[in-house]
Each structure stands twice: as C-alpha cells, then as structure tokens.
C-alpha cells in the first residue's frame, strides 16, 4: 500500500477508524510527522486534536536503550526489569529525567502555545503516527496516555513492520495498522511525498484544529417558505461560512437517517447544514405534493433566502429523490453566484429528470450519485446529465441500490458529497 502523502494516509486511517466516532475520542498526534496524519483523522471523526509529547528515558552511556518514558502532567513510566538488568541507579534515573523534563516542556510549549492539554481521563484516545520503525516512541506514548487516565488506547498508523506491529498490539488496547509489509525497511518508502514536517506546520495544524473543535450547537428552527413555517434542524457553518441545505424526497423528512448521516460528515468537514421539511404534515398526508416540483423548488428558493439572512456565505443544496429535481430547478432560478445563488448541487439517488426543461438553465456545478444496482434511476440520471449545460459529474456507487442500504455505500456518498461541496463552496479539498 502506497500513500500519496500524510493527508492521504490520514484519510485512509480515518475510514478504518470510523466506528470510533461514536465514542467521542480524543486524537493525539505524535510530533512531528504524525500530526498531519492525525489532523485528517480528527477532521473525519469530528474529534478534538492534540499532541502527545513523550520523552524516552535512556540508559546512561546506552541512550538508545530506554528504561522508561515521561509525559506531560508529571507522568513517568519505568521498566523495572530494564532498570535492574542495566544497573540504572536512582541517581541516574533522576538525572536523566530532569534533563528530559526540560526538553519535554520546551516542545509542548512550542507546539501547543498557551492552550491547555486536552484531558484524557476516561476517554477513548487515538494515538496517530505517520508510520512505525522500531515502535519505541509509540509504545511510550501508549503507556503515557494510559497513565494520564485514558480508558481505551488505540494506536493508529498507516504502516509498520510486522515485528513492531506484534509488539504494539500487546501495549495498545487496539492497533489499527493499514499495512505491515514483510519487506519493510523505512517508513518513507511507503509514501510518494514524505517531506519532513517542520515545527511551524505542527503549530498551524493544532491551531486550526483548536478553532474548529468548539461545539457547533444544532438547533431546531422554523423556515419561512411558500407562505408556511417549515420545521428544520440547523447546524451553523464553520470558519468557511459555507452551508448546505438538504431537500428530501418523497416519503422522507428532516429526520431521514440517510440524510442525517451525510449531514454529519459535512459538519465534520466544517460545513453547516440545514435539514428541513419541504411539506407540512397535512401536505405529506395528501401524497401528491411530493411530485409538484415547481412548488417544492419555490420553497427551496425561499429557504435559500432564509438561510442567507441567518448565515451569509456560500450555499449548496443536497437533494434526494424528488428533492434533487427541486434543487436543480431552484439552482436554475437563483443562479450560481457565490453571494446570491447556489454554489453547488449534489443529488443522491435523485430524479433530476423531473426538473424538465430547467435542466439546461442550471449553472451550479452538479454531482449526480446513483447506485449501480438502481438501474432505472441510473438511466434517468444519464439522460438528465446530457441536458445539463453546467459542470457536472455522474458517479456510480458500486453495489448500491436506491436507498444505499448496503454496507459502506452511504459512506461513499458522504465522502463524495463532502469533497464536491468543500471544493466548490470553499475552494479547498476536504
């Protein structure tokens, strides 16, 4: 397995670590090279990011042999067996520890500044490095995290030699290692780009993570659209100011678990979201309103104006089923201007064909996501894409049916929607 760079390694690690997101973990990067990997992991998991600064305590005259390690908060881990076999005296222990404590404090202060260390007591802790050679530092980090009160220690690395991986499994509660090649000789050979990570990059990434880790409180709102108040759930935008409105399809609502799952992935990437009901309870009960695309798109246009009053910034729309047609018609009406229009559209298992003649008027970049086994809808999307005169892409999700209920398929939807919106609304990759 070859990684493009540390960000790519972090993205792939995050996929493997996805189930941990529900446990509210803390992600700790081993400086320096582990921090860019950990930054991406923390983004994907929606978790706070910090560094774990450890210093090995080396045997005098044989410093490559560690008899223990120290970490922040006065934590010290000693191997009594090595102390005994190497003949390390109490004076030696105190002398080595004093020197290493000075360096530990200097490095922690340089990386974190005046921000406090994130407490680990009772938390699931994910320790991330860009790869393992001998494993000595990672082993010390696991021991220090546990001594600092971590309830469950997960060590996550892109690559490690099989022998080191075996040792690490004994120290960590859980090891996530994407590749343990028999021919391992150095971490860098498994990356196309393995430039040294400077201290300045570590400081910048930690500061960015700190700005994004504050709580963004979800709130219940009433959206004024089409002359009625429609209930919705609003999660404010992050620093980019970009927000995505969800337009659900027939038989669905703002409570749709599929849309909520996608929205959570967008929130972790720093995007705001608004999930709201396009129809009132009475209208849903009558049934026919779900195919009145003109009325639905009118309400979506009103909702977009409501959003701009409350959260000015780049705006995208995620549409499912008939909601996708409403999204495209709304985009045709308001245009693609960054300040006043809809900057990007994503359709999940949508019916863009129901937008009819307005398809040719859409200028917002449009991504169509369809399951490979949803053959009828896939054909309708291909025909609709041929009518579009804007930037567009049709992505077929292998093995997925209309509702994307197959394992992993909805995750692919969330990832591609996230990348489309971040690219077109914020100008950055996720």
């Amino acid at each position: 397995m070859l990684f493009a760079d540390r960000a790519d390694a972090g993205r792939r690690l995050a996929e493997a670590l996805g189930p941990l997101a529900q446990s509210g973990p803390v992600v700790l990067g081993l400086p320096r090279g582990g921090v860019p990997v950990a930054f991406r992991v923390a983004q994907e998991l929606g978790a706070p990011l910090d560094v774990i600064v450890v210093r090995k305590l080396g045997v005098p005259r044989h410093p490559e042999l560690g008899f223990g390690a120290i970490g922040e908060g006065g934590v010290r881990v000693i191997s009594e067996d090595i102390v005994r076999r190497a003949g390390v005296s109490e004076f030696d222990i105190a002398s080595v520890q004093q020197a290493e404590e000075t360096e530990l404090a200097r490095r922690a202060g340089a990386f974190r500044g005046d921000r406090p260390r994130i407490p680990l007591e009772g938390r699931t802790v994910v320790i991330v490095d860009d790869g393992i050679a001998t494993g000595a530092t990672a082993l010390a980090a696991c021991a220090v995290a546990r001594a600092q009160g971590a309830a469950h220690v997960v060590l996550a690395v892109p690559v490690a030699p099989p022998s080191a991986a075996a040792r690490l499994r004994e120290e960590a509660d859980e090891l996530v290692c994407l590749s343990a090649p028999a021919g391992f000789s150095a971490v860098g050979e498994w990356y196309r780009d393995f430039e040294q990570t400077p201290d300045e990059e570590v400081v910048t990434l930690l500061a960015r993570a700190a700005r994004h880790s504050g709580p963004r409180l979800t709130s219940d709102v009433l959206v004024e659209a089409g002359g009625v108040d429609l209930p919705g759930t609003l999660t404010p935008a992050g620093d980019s100011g970009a927000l995505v409105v969800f337009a659900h399809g027939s038989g669905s609502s703002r409570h749709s678990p599929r849309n909520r799952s996608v929205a959570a992935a967008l929130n972790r990437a720093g995007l705001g979201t608004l999930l709201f009901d396009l129809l009132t309870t009475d209208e849903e009960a009558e049934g026919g309103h779900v195919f009145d695309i003109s009325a639905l798109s009118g309400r979506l246009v009103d909702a977009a104006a409501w959003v701009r009053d409350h959260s000015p910034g780049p705006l995208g729309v995620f549409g499912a089923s008939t909601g996708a047609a409403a999204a495209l018609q709304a985009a045709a009406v308001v245009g693609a201007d960054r300040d006043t229009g809809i900057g990007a559209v994503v359709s999940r298992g949508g019916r863009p064909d129901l937008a009819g003649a307005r398809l040719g008027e859409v200028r917002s970049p449009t991504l169509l996501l369809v399951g490979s086994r949803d053959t009828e809808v896939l054909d309708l999307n291909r025909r609709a894409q041929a009518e579009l005169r804007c930037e567009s892409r049709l992505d077929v999700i292998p093995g997925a049916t209309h509702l994307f209920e197959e394992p992993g398929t909805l995750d692919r939807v969330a990832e591609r929607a996230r990348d489309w919106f971040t690219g077109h609304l914020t100008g950055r990759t996720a």
Side-chain angles (χ1 to χ4, degrees):
M1 181 180 289
L2 186 65
F3 304 98
D5 53 22
R6 290 180 175 89
D8 176 49
R11 179 185 61 80
R12 296 202 218 177
L13 263 182
E15 290 180 2
L17 293 164
L20 288 175
Q22 302 304 316
S23 64
V26 175
V27 176
L28 303 178
L30 275 163
R32 293 183 295 266
V35 174
V37 184
F39 178 80
R40 189 61 180 264
V41 170
Q43 274 192 319
E44 297 289 332
L45 298 185
L49 173 69
D50 202 353
V51 284
I52 180 164
V53 184
V54 299
R55 296 294 295 172
K56 183 177 71 173
L57 303 178
V59 173
R61 296 174 298 281
H62 300 285
E64 71 283 356
L65 176 61
F67 64 82
I70 58 171
E72 294 176 86
V75 169
R76 185 181 79 170
V77 180
I78 299 292
S79 170
E80 298 296 345
D81 181 57
I82 295 179
V83 166
R84 185 177 60 257
R85 288 191 289 113
V88 180
S89 68
E90 288 295 330
F91 175 82
D92 290 334
I93 293 175
S95 177
V96 171
Q97 180 173 338
Q98 183 177 16
E100 294 299 344
E101 281 177 344
T102 301
E103 180 62 12
L104 179 105
R106 186 195 69 79
R107 291 196 176 196
F111 293 139
R112 195 181 292 116
D114 58 1
R115 291 187 304 275
R117 178 172 60 86
I118 295 177
L120 306 184
E121 290 82 359
R123 303 287 295 272
T124 294
V125 172
V126 183
I127 298 173
V128 179
D129 205 354
D130 56 6
I132 296 295
T134 65
T137 303
L139 286 169
C142 290
V144 166
R146 187 171 285 111
Q148 289 175 342
H152 187 76
V153 177
V154 180
L155 179 62
V157 295
V159 62
S163 57
R167 291 197 307 275
L168 293 167
R169 282 192 178 91
E170 296 177 359
E171 183 61 38
D173 296 312
E174 187 177 345
L175 173 68
V176 176
C177 179
L178 301 183
S179 179
F184 183 97
S185 61
V187 172
E189 68 181 343
W190 302 99
Y191 286 81
R192 285 197 291 271
D193 178 0
F194 197 65
E195 291 292 324
Q196 184 176 6
T197 302
D199 286 354
E200 293 77 13
E201 182 178 355
V202 174
V203 171
T204 298
L205 290 176
L206 290 172
R208 282 180 60 189
R211 288 196 299 270
H212 288 285
S213 63
R216 288 192 288 147
L217 300 178
T218 296
S219 57
D220 293 329
V221 296
L222 288 176
V223 180
E224 301 173 19
V228 295
D229 290 335
L230 301 169
T233 302
L234 176 68
T235 301
D239 287 351
S240 70
L243 188 142
V244 176
V245 176
F246 280 69
H248 64 77
S250 55
S252 186
S253 74
R254 70 187 187 282
H255 300 299
S256 161
R258 286 174 289 277
N259 281 352
R260 290 171 70 89
S261 177
V262 174
L266 301 187
N267 296 153
R268 290 193 292 270
L271 300 171
T273 53
L274 171 66
L275 294 94
F276 81 110
D277 294 343
L278 282 168
L279 300 173
T280 66
T281 303
D282 290 341
E283 288 169 339
E284 287 178 352
E286 292 175 17
H289 295 280
V290 295
F291 289 100
D292 188 347
I293 304 302
S294 295
L296 296 178
S297 66
R299 288 187 177 180
L300 198 50
V301 169
D302 290 346
W306 182 92
V307 167
R308 290 201 179 282
D309 287 341
H310 292 78
S311 178
L315 184 67
V317 180
F318 182 96
S321 190
T322 53
L328 289 166
Q329 278 204 7
V333 171
V334 302
D337 183 84
R338 179 181 177 88
D339 296 323
T340 61
I342 293 173
V345 174
V346 173
S347 163
R348 171 185 64 81
R351 290 290 308 276
D353 55 296
L354 295 177
R358 303 306 295 266
L359 283 171
E361 302 172 24
V362 177
R363 296 295 176 265
S364 306
T366 299
L367 173 65
L368 306 173
L369 300 170
V370 188
S372 65
R373 295 164 61 190
D374 193 9
T375 53
E376 183 178 351
V377 172
L378 178 56
D379 183 56
L380 292 171
N381 273 255
R382 285 176 173 145
R383 295 180 188 179
Q385 188 188 22
E387 300 296 320
L388 291 171
R389 297 294 178 265
C390 57
E391 177 190 349
S392 66
R393 194 174 82 207
L394 172 61
D395 280 3
V396 180
I397 308 299
T401 52
H402 185 63
L403 295 180
F404 299 89
E405 296 175 306
E406 295 73 23
T409 57
L410 191 61
D411 292 336
R412 302 288 85 74
V413 167
E415 291 166 4
R416 297 182 192 193
R418 176 203 63 199
D419 292 348
W420 191 261
F421 284 128
T422 53
H424 288 91
L425 299 182
T426 74
R428 61 174 173 81
T429 57

